[in-house]
Amino acid sequence: MISPALKEHLLLFLKEDIGYEDLTTEGIVSEGTEAEAVVRAKQPCVVAGLPFFRELFKIYDPAVQIIFRVPEGTEIEAYQEICTVKGKAKTLLTVERSALNLLQRLCGIATLTRKMARLIEDTEARLVDTRKTTPGLRFFEKYATKIGGAVNHRMGLYDAVLVKDNHIKIAGSVKEALRQVKKAVPFTAKIEVEVSSLKELEEALSEGADIILLDNMDVETIRKAVKLTGKRALLEASGGVTPESIREIAETGVDFISSGFITHHATWIDINMKIERIEQIG
Amino acid sequence: MISPALKEHLLLFLKEDIGYEDLTTEGIVSEGTEAEAVVRAKQPCVVAGLPFFRELFKIYDPAVQIIFRVPEGTEIEAYQEICTVKGKAKTLLTVERSALNLLQRLCGIATLTRKMARLIEDTEARLVDTRKTTPGLRFFEKYATKIGGAVNHRMGLYDAVLVKDNHIKIAGSVKEALRQVKKAVPFTAKIEVEVSSLKELEEALSEGADIILLDNMDVETIRKAVKLTGKRALLEASGGVTPESIREIAETGVDFISSGFITHHATWIDINMKIERIEQIG
Amino acid sequence: MISPALKEHLLLFLKEDIGYEDLTTEGIVSEGTEAEAVVRAKQPCVVAGLPFFRELFKIYDPAVQIIFRVPEGTEIEAYQEICTVKGKAKTLLTVERSALNLLQRLCGIATLTRKMARLIEDTEARLVDTRKTTPGLRFFEKYATKIGGAVNHRMGLYDAVLVKDNHIKIAGSVKEALRQVKKAVPFTAKIEVEVSSLKELEEALSEGADIILLDNMDVETIRKAVKLTGKRALLEASGGVTPESIREIAETGVDFISSGFITHHATWIDINMKIERIEQIG
Amino acid sequence: MISPALKEHLLLFLKEDIGYEDLTTEGIVSEGTEAEAVVRAKQPCVVAGLPFFRELFKIYDPAVQIIFRVPEGTEIEAYQEICTVKGKAKTLLTVERSALNLLQRLCGIATLTRKMARLIEDTEARLVDTRKTTPGLRFFEKYATKIGGAVNHRMGLYDAVLVKDNHIKIAGSVKEALRQVKKAVPFTAKIEVEVSSLKELEEALSEGADIILLDNMDVETIRKAVKLTGKRALLEASGGVTPESIREIAETGVDFISSGFITHHATWIDINMKIERIEQIG
Amino acid sequence: MISPALKEHLLLFLKEDIGYEDLTTEGIVSEGTEAEAVVRAKQPCVVAGLPFFRELFKIYDPAVQIIFRVPEGTEIEAYQEICTVKGKAKTLLTVERSALNLLQRLCGIATLTRKMARLIEDTEARLVDTRKTTPGLRFFEKYATKIGGAVNHRMGLYDAVLVKDNHIKIAGSVKEALRQVKKAVPFTAKIEVEVSSLKELEEALSEGADIILLDNMDVETIRKAVKLTGKRALLEASGGVTPESIREIAETGVDFISSGFITHHATWIDINMKIERIEQIG
Amino acid sequence: MISPALKEHLLLFLKEDIGYEDLTTEGIVSEGTEAEAVVRAKQPCVVAGLPFFRELFKIYDPAVQIIFRVPEGTEIEAYQEICTVKGKAKTLLTVERSALNLLQRLCGIATLTRKMARLIEDTEARLVDTRKTTPGLRFFEKYATKIGGAVNHRMGLYDAVLVKDNHIKIAGSVKEALRQVKKAVPFTAKIEVEVSSLKELEEALSEGADIILLDNMDVETIRKAVKLTGKRALLEASGGVTPESIREIAETGVDFISSGFITHHATWIDINMKIERIEQIG
């Protein structure tokens, strides 16, 4: 289900590109022209974003039809057909760019995420995303990391607590920060705290933090942290996570490895939508 | 000047991350805590997005102060200071991520664009961007390509005409498409048409197109197109533009080279904001 | 196609008149009352605004039916039928005023514009509109001038450049103003500059302005400007354009004549919607 | 006081003209350029709309200063100074058109209304406006008729009851319509009903209508209606009200005369804003 | 008819509870699961809010079906069926809480209002509501008091005049306040003034107030006020109105008794929605 | 800090009451009238909502001053002063009702919550709220329960998981429902499941649920559940929680007791704002 909030958000993308009207298409294409187009990626990728791709067309013109050829999350080969779009030629031409832009971005993220997740899939560690997402695209990009194989971290500042180094500096200590924050949050949210040393880790453990973020620690220290923690809290390793380093980090026994890389270093998949049939009706 | 429409757009970025409140910061940091933070990139880059970075803080808290250390568009070295942010610690902690996310994305685009623009700066050709931008970020990303050294192409479907292959297919010919579209658009907009052969180019020229987009032509054909056109219209080369190929295309004599690469293949610059002073007042 | 942005705009018109509910209609008319109404103008006019008229009813109640009796842009006689509206009596009564208000205004503009355009239709000059439109109604009023026979000028400050006298005063000269502005705008927009003398005209020509607005020049001077320009740029005559003066201006050979008169001196066409059948169903 | 709803409405006018940015002004004018401009009408008029004129500038740039030279509602002579605007040249140039468009429209309405109101000022009758206002401008145009000397009729379908001919046709009779509607509305709203004959007038009186609208009656019949009513309800004459006919209608003794003419036949007052001083600071 | 403004308002309620997605339901329930649920109150009540209850489901999913078992305003017994909801299980689970919350609140108000209205139904006095409504719920709560048997007072500060004690204090006297306010308001709105003594009542009567609010007067004084007024204006008694006192006040002969109690002391009716059938299709 | 989203929400409350203008106040009170008012409750209560009360005035008029006399959360006596409001008389009169309505509702909730929380304050159990809040007021009402002494439950369907009976019915079993939902949610959210028997409780424990809601169990069963759970998960008792029953439930050893009663059965505290000084300036 596309929720009302999500629909409103997608509508902004259409308004950004179309404004009040698509000058070219309105000037050339008649109401009675129907068309059919096929969407294909020119490179292998993980497909992500199909429900949003469809909804963008549906918002503009409820009569358009989208037939998916592969399920969301599929790893497709180059030039494999993703979906077919049928309807008024006007609709296809006007919505094409907005819908492709979103799909290309999300497939890019899902593909990079899948690649990273694969590197650690036989370990205990799971890949998680971060808040380092493109402004205005948080929900969509986190959706894509999930399709790619990551677990989502919090959506924003409002739905979970993460006590970071600056909060600790202001509160005076890990202990003090945790005590204050516990009073302020819904009991349904886990409490996470960032630590930069094994000493802070011990403090966090003794205050009963649910999740402890090990900030930029070397693999050796992470290994000690895992041992010291002994499953009393969930451990998240963060910082310097790349395709090269992720495997070694995962083997330390941490529960989660968070990566901004999967969003801010993802580039677009090359996808196009080719009109294969045009028909004049009425 | 940040226009009202732009301000409303930036506000969406804050709402996305903050929601109704920053649980962690509201739970730990008091109203009376003031702080000062320094923003630095960890890698060399072209700085882009400073006015938006500042406005995000100002929307949240008009009392915050931002002191820029370099002008917009500067090529800075790694660890050079970009700006200082002073004000309530609450404000700094709550807005930090939204403001950095936008800045990192825009610096990434400006840096890649500058690199591409440099490759052709001693030719007649100029680099232009495309509509292949992140949904919801069109204005900002085009702003960044301009800072990087590109010229902007149209903002959307509403502010200029670009007759593409599918429009031509539906209209029947380049000539017919151009005749129809001319009646429909403000006379202040240039009319651009995409052609895929020299034959279509001649047709476009005889119909008086202002700009002609040479779609995916090889360098040899572009060279012929330039000769055939003889300055009667502006020529834009498009397709397969990479750092490797751009120089050769520029030397054909085309006026513009458009590149989606500078937006959809830009990755983020690593920028952080470090709190360097905390003070308890009142 | 009515774009999402346009639909949102039309919805504001309904909200303005209806608020949360039409007290009178909700208090008197039952759900099961169906009606049919005929829309006629009491005076001859050019019909403009039919798609928006229909959309206003459709937004309120998708089940309503509108049957157009004449195509958009037709010059109709007094009391000729424009369209029929069928559906729930509630819908017809509640939307009537909003829909008629827009239609009457747009027909008024189209009719006045047609009259002006006719006066110069056998010359080379074409009539263009201005930004002197009713606040909040820009798109609709420019749509009506186009239906009336004018060519649209830029939509707003964002989609084209027009360097006016005050910009020149601040920049120091026509030349300086043009040089600065060229760097800032999409290459798809033509650059227009306002000049008040033949000397400024020459400066503008030598800087390669695409369009030159001759501000409040007398017919004799305009004629000289046309000669001096020799097709190197498009010329737009502006100022004091009335039904009495337009023909003489057109005969000077200018390309465009812009007129605020066609929007700010248009009055409404007297149109009403008469319920001709009421039926109780269910 | 400009209420929050009003502020939001004015902001739409700015967004319509400016979009994301004023390309010309941002390209030419620097932050440090200050200017001062004088606003004058080129023809005699009643001044209306000053608070909105000021607010449009203030929304864009709170630092701008507006000094009024005449109070709202003043009848000024041609070329008399209305106000002075001081501040950043950028602000003045960018907001000018939006602010003038609104002022010109509202002065046009106030001036025409004042002329009509004058014609009956020594009678008992008072001029009232209608819902025939430009879509999206209802509040502003009714404000202008009030400044001009009219009394406002209801704002929309939501704040008062007006039982019209079609409501009566559906309900079966004036009596039945009034009985039904009374149950549905706040007791703070007067109940008005439209009648087309003296017989219907009697029915309305016996049902205790607060206001009775005499629809398109000739002067003789209106006179009879006044006599028959004997102050038991307020009488509003409507239909065919022009500067030529209004006096005769007023002398019948009706309480109110409603006129769509004062809004839909008002044209703009010619007002301009001239920059008289430019200064480079900082 | 649910107006566009009302639809937008209801949509806010859905966004508040659902955000971008219902995590639990999206994670567990498939698209193909259909369900049927029955809505019942666990206690006797007056049913109010059915059109809004239905619209909340319809906004989320137009395919859902709501079958009402009792008409709006019915006094039902405990466990009597109010309506049935059929459709996708996802829709039922996701919208349930928002729709029930509104229904429970509105039934609570209608039930309390009905109880109060009953106490005076054989007198001349009628119960009216006030502006003491939950922020953001004014229209809905006033709708519920109407269903309960009250007459609505003004909707807000914009649709009627009520001169209160502080306005009088500032104006200097009842007389002065009334004179000033008459000039400012639509003639379709009745003018109401609050008086705190019989002396002020006389002043209000001589100024021709339409409604006079007797503020916190004892029953004896109200009786004198009724006599003194002699039907020259409508009288509204206000202050200290409870189930215990309302009958005695009504018997004084006042026209209206206003009560904030019916909104701010109403509690929710216990209503639940039970899924009685689940079916897997497709 | 009042976040941008919160500010927008408060603005809706002002628009609801004021519309485009406060007819009475604008008609009577001049710009130059200043006033000072004191806010007092007529009954003992817990003060909640002061930051929102202040913000409502500040949004309308940033120049207004609010001086708090007691801190948020204080238990005050009847007629004790809560705060003073100083500024333009117009502002005070126009915003008064919106600001008081919110304050009265929130104080009502905080007062009832405090009473309930007191009853169990020496036990291990803590009081939590529910999603049974007034539509559109979720954030504010949950804020008030927190001030009253409760812990917040999830904000909505988007920020935590609560698997309810119907989810379980659809999934087939507690185990199956938990397995599916775990894949779908951010790892920062705790997973809660509702159980109706000790058998389901065991199933939930073996699937590692973080929180288990004991739905409508009698005290004896709850006691067994606590024993059986042995701290392996947090236990939340729900259903039939009243001031009479809460103590007994708390003594079973459950961790949390959730209560809709503290929101849907709270009534308003009687608070008024009395103007104590009026001054004419300028």
Side-chain angles (χ1 to χ4, degrees), chain A residues 16-246:
Chain A
E16 180 189 57
D17 195 32
I18 305 173
Y20 276 118
E21 61 173 342
D22 175 350
L23 290 174
T24 316
T25 299
E26 294 299 326
I28 292 175
V29 186
S30 72
E31 284 290 314
T33 311
E34 298 274 322
E36 187 171 329
V38 176
V39 176
R40 290 187 190 83
K42 297 192 193 164
Q43 59 189 116
C45 69
V46 174
V47 174
L50 291 180
F52 313 131
F53 181 87
R54 176 175 54 193
E55 191 68 19
L56 284 166
F57 279 98
K58 289 282 187 187
I59 288 170
Y60 190 75
D61 177 1
V64 82
Q65 276 181 283
I66 318 279
I67 302 111
F68 295 139
R69 304 303 183 189
V70 293
E72 186 78 339
T74 309
E75 295 183 29
I76 58 168
E77 291 166 32
Y79 298 101
Q80 190 177 341
E81 197 173 322
I82 297 174
C83 64
T84 296
V85 186
K86 286 185 195 178
K88 288 189 183 177
K90 281 194 170 196
T91 300
L92 271 57
L93 291 172
T94 299
V95 179
E96 175 185 354
R97 189 74 269 139
S98 306
L100 284 180
N101 283 357
L102 186 57
L103 189 63
Q104 293 182 76
R105 173 77 183 138
L106 300 191
C107 291
I109 290 174
T111 303
L112 180 55
T113 305
R114 184 72 56 92
K115 186 182 148 197
M116 292 283 274
R118 278 277 153 76
L119 295 170
I120 61 169
E121 68 187 340
D122 59 338
T123 71
E124 295 291 299
R126 298 189 67 185
L127 181 64
V128 297
D129 54 30
T130 67
R131 280 167 53 240
K132 291 178 180 173
T133 56
T134 316
L137 228 56
R138 176 75 49 86
F139 179 82
F140 301 96
E141 295 192 345
K142 285 195 167 249
Y143 169 89
T145 65
K146 195 161 64 176
I147 294 295
V151 175
N152 287 336
H153 206 296
R154 62 175 175 168
M155 277 292 146
L157 299 166
Y158 57 88
D159 71 330
V161 163
L162 173 43
V163 178
K164 306 192 78 169
D165 54 350
N166 286 320
H167 295 109
I168 295 167
K169 214 180 290 181
I170 288 166
S173 67
V174 166
K175 174 188 278 189
E176 195 50 43
L178 284 171
R179 288 197 175 165
Q180 283 170 30
V181 88
K182 268 182 197 169
K183 285 179 289 190
V185 301
F187 82 103
T188 48
K190 289 180 186 153
I191 307 255
E192 178 168 13
V193 63
E194 179 179 311
V195 300
S196 54
S197 67
L198 296 179
K199 191 173 154 299
E200 280 190 348
L201 171 62
E202 291 195 61
E203 209 174 326
L205 286 168
S206 70
E207 280 305 312
D210 297 300
I211 313 171
I212 298 168
L213 185 152
L214 309 173
D215 186 32
N216 270 308
M217 290 183 180
D218 58 41
V219 168
E220 192 50 40
T221 314
I222 295 174
R223 206 169 286 132
K224 285 181 191 159
V226 170
K227 200 168 168 192
L228 192 150
T229 301
K231 299 287 174 195
R232 280 177 293 164
L234 296 169
L235 289 183
E236 173 186 345
S238 174
V241 179
T242 62
E244 291 68 38
S245 67
I246 191 167

Side-chain angles (χ1 to χ4, degrees), chain F residues 63-227:
Chain F
V64 81
Q65 277 182 282
I66 318 278
I67 303 111
F68 295 137
R69 304 303 182 189
V70 293
E72 187 77 338
T74 309
E75 296 182 27
I76 59 168
E77 293 166 30
Y79 298 101
Q80 190 177 340
E81 197 174 323
I82 297 173
C83 64
T84 296
V85 185
K86 286 185 196 179
K88 287 189 181 174
K90 279 193 172 197
T91 300
L92 271 57
L93 290 172
T94 298
V95 180
E96 175 185 356
R97 188 76 267 137
S98 306
L100 283 180
N101 282 357
L102 187 55
L103 189 64
Q104 293 183 76
R105 172 79 184 137
L106 300 191
C107 291
I109 290 175
T111 304
L112 179 56
T113 304
R114 184 74 55 94
K115 187 182 145 197
M116 292 282 276
R118 278 278 153 74
L119 295 171
I120 60 168
E121 69 186 340
D122 59 337
T123 71
E124 294 291 300
R126 298 190 67 185
L127 182 62
V128 298
D129 53 30
T130 67
R131 279 166 55 239
K132 292 180 179 170
T133 56
T134 316
L137 229 56
R138 175 76 49 85
F139 179 82
F140 301 96
E141 295 192 345
K142 285 194 167 254
Y143 169 89
T145 64
K146 195 160 66 175
I147 294 295
V151 176
N152 287 336
H153 206 295
R154 63 175 174 168
M155 276 293 147
L157 298 167
Y158 57 87
D159 70 332
V161 163
L162 173 41
V163 177
K164 306 193 79 170
D165 54 351
N166 286 319
H167 295 109
I168 295 167
K169 215 181 290 181
I170 288 166
S173 67
V174 165
K175 173 188 278 190
E176 194 52 39
L178 284 172
R179 289 201 174 161
Q180 283 170 30
V181 88
K182 269 182 196 169
K183 286 179 286 190
V185 301
F187 83 105
T188 48
K190 289 179 186 157
I191 307 256
E192 178 168 14
V193 62
E194 180 179 308
V195 301
S196 54
S197 66
L198 296 180
K199 190 173 154 298
E200 281 190 347
L201 170 61
E202 289 195 63
E203 209 174 326
L205 286 167
S206 70
E207 280 306 312
D210 296 300
I211 313 171
I212 298 168
L213 185 151
L214 309 173
D215 186 33
N216 270 310
M217 291 183 180
D218 58 43
V219 168
E220 192 50 39
T221 313
I222 296 175
R223 206 168 286 130
K224 286 182 190 158
V226 170
K227 200 167 166 194

Side-chain angles (χ1 to χ4, degrees), chain B:
Chain B
M1 298 294 295
I2 301 283
S3 69
L6 200 40
K7 197 172 291 184
E8 283 190 353
H9 199 133
L10 290 166
L11 197 138
L12 293 179
F13 299 159
L14 291 177
K15 285 167 68 179
E16 179 189 57
D17 195 33
I18 304 171
Y20 276 116
E21 63 174 339
D22 175 350
L23 291 172
T24 316
T25 301
E26 293 300 325
I28 293 175
V29 186
S30 71
E31 284 291 314
T33 312
E34 298 274 323
E36 187 172 329
V38 177
V39 176
R40 288 187 190 86
K42 297 192 191 164
Q43 58 190 117
C45 69
V46 174
V47 174
L50 292 179
F52 313 129
F53 182 87
R54 174 175 55 191
E55 190 69 19
L56 283 166
F57 280 98
K58 288 284 187 186
I59 288 170
Y60 191 76
D61 177 0
V64 81
Q65 277 182 281
I66 318 279
I67 302 111
F68 295 139
R69 304 303 183 190
V70 293
E72 186 78 337
T74 309
E75 295 182 29
I76 59 169
E77 292 166 30
Y79 298 102
Q80 191 176 339
E81 197 174 324
I82 297 174
C83 64
T84 295
V85 185
K86 285 185 196 180
K88 287 189 181 175
K90 279 193 171 196
T91 300
L92 271 57
L93 290 172
T94 299
V95 180
E96 176 185 356
R97 190 73 267 136
S98 307
L100 283 180
N101 282 358
L102 186 57
L103 189 64
Q104 293 184 76
R105 173 79 184 136
L106 299 191
C107 291
I109 289 174
T111 303
L112 180 56
T113 304
R114 184 73 56 94
K115 187 183 147 198
M116 292 283 274
R118 278 276 154 74
L119 295 171
I120 60 168
E121 68 187 339
D122 59 339
T123 71
E124 295 291 300
R126 299 189 68 186
L127 182 64
V128 297
D129 54 30
T130 67
R131 279 165 55 239
K132 292 180 180 171
T133 56
T134 315
L137 228 57
R138 174 78 47 86
F139 178 82
F140 301 96
E141 295 192 345
K142 285 194 167 253
Y143 169 89
T145 65
K146 194 160 66 176
I147 294 295
V151 176
N152 287 337
H153 206 295
R154 63 176 174 167
M155 275 294 147
L157 298 168
Y158 57 86
D159 71 332
V161 163
L162 174 41
V163 177
K164 307 193 77 169
D165 53 352
N166 286 320
H167 294 109
I168 295 168
K169 213 181 293 180
I170 287 166
S173 68
V174 165
K175 173 187 279 189
E176 194 51 41
L178 285 171
R179 288 199 176 163
Q180 283 170 32
V181 87
K182 269 182 196 168
K183 287 179 288 191
V185 301
F187 83 103
T188 48
K190 289 181 187 153
I191 307 255
E192 177 167 14
V193 63
E194 180 178 310
V195 300
S196 55
S197 67
L198 296 179
K199 189 170 155 299
E200 279 190 348
L201 171 60
E202 290 194 63
E203 208 174 328
L205 286 167
S206 69
E207 280 306 312
D210 297 301
I211 312 171
I212 298 168
L213 185 151
L214 307 174
D215 186 32
N216 270 311
M217 291 183 180
D218 58 43
V219 168
E220 193 48 42
T221 313
I222 296 175
R223 208 168 286 131
K224 286 182 190 158
V226 170
K227 201 169 167 192
L228 192 150
T229 301
K231 297 289 173 197
R232 282 178 291 166
L234 296 170
L235 290 183
E236 173 185 346
S238 176
V241 179
T242 61
E244 290 69 37
S245 65
I246 192 167
R247 177 82 203 176
E248 199 183 3
I249 298 171
E251 289 171 347
T252 60
V254 288
D255 303 286
F256 295 98
I257 300 174
S258 58
S259 160
F261 187 88
I262 56 178
T263 44
H264 61 56
H265 269 65
T267 56
W268 291 20
I269 299 299
D270 194 356
I271 300 176
N272 69 10
M273 177 172 138
K274 208 176 155 195
I275 292 195
E276 308 212 325
R277 197 177 52 73
I278 292 169
E279 195 179 341
Q280 207 60 29
I281 66 166

